[in-house]
Amino acid sequence: MDLPIDDDHAPIYSVGQVSGMLGLQPAFLRRLDNEDVVRPGRSAGGQRRYSRSDIDAVQRVVGLASDGFTLAGIRRVLELELQVAGLQAELEAERRRNR
C-alpha cells in the first residue's frame, strides 16, 4: 500500500513543520514562495504544503544563500540546474535510441 509519506513529491508538510525541521523562520519559507524560488503545493484551503522534494530544495537554497547568493541568483541557479537535468535526460534517451 503506497502512502503519501512514501512519495517524495506529495505536499504534506506545513510551513510550521518545515520551519521547525530546518530551524528556519516561517517568513523565510513564505518569501521563497513569493520570490518563486521554492513553490510548495497548496492545500484545499490554500495553505502551503511542502513535499520532501521541496524540503530538499529549501535546504539547497539555504546552502546557496550562505555562500552569498541572492534569491534572484539562487532562482536562476535552480532554473539552470533543471534545464541541465532535462538536457541530460534527452541526451541519454537519444543515446539509447541510437544503440
Side-chain angles (χ1 to χ4, degrees):
M1 173 182 196
D2 288 333
L3 300 172
I5 193 86
D6 298 325
D7 180 356
D8 287 343
H9 301 286
I12 55 177
Y13 301 99
S14 70
V15 169
Q17 289 171 315
V18 175
S19 68
M21 281 188 262
L22 301 181
L24 301 171
Q25 293 295 317
F28 179 71
L29 295 171
R30 288 190 287 275
R31 183 161 180 224
L32 294 181
D33 184 13
N34 293 336
E35 298 282 334
D36 292 327
V37 178
V38 177
R39 300 294 306 237
R42 297 284 178 152
S43 70
Q47 295 179 331
R48 290 172 179 89
R49 292 286 183 239
Y50 292 81
S51 66
R52 289 193 320 231
S53 177
D54 294 328
I55 293 169
D56 289 343
V58 169
Q59 289 178 300
R60 175 93 167 101
V61 167
V62 169
L64 289 169
S66 70
D67 287 341
F69 284 84
T70 64
L71 289 184
I74 292 168
R75 182 177 51 246
R76 187 65 181 136
V77 166
L78 296 176
E79 289 168 354
L80 290 170
E81 287 176 345
L82 281 174
Q83 287 178 348
V84 167
L87 290 169
Q88 288 173 328
E90 286 180 37
L91 180 60
E92 184 58 33
E94 188 63 30
R95 285 182 177 151
R96 281 189 296 246
R97 276 193 291 268
N98 290 325
R99 286 184 189 170

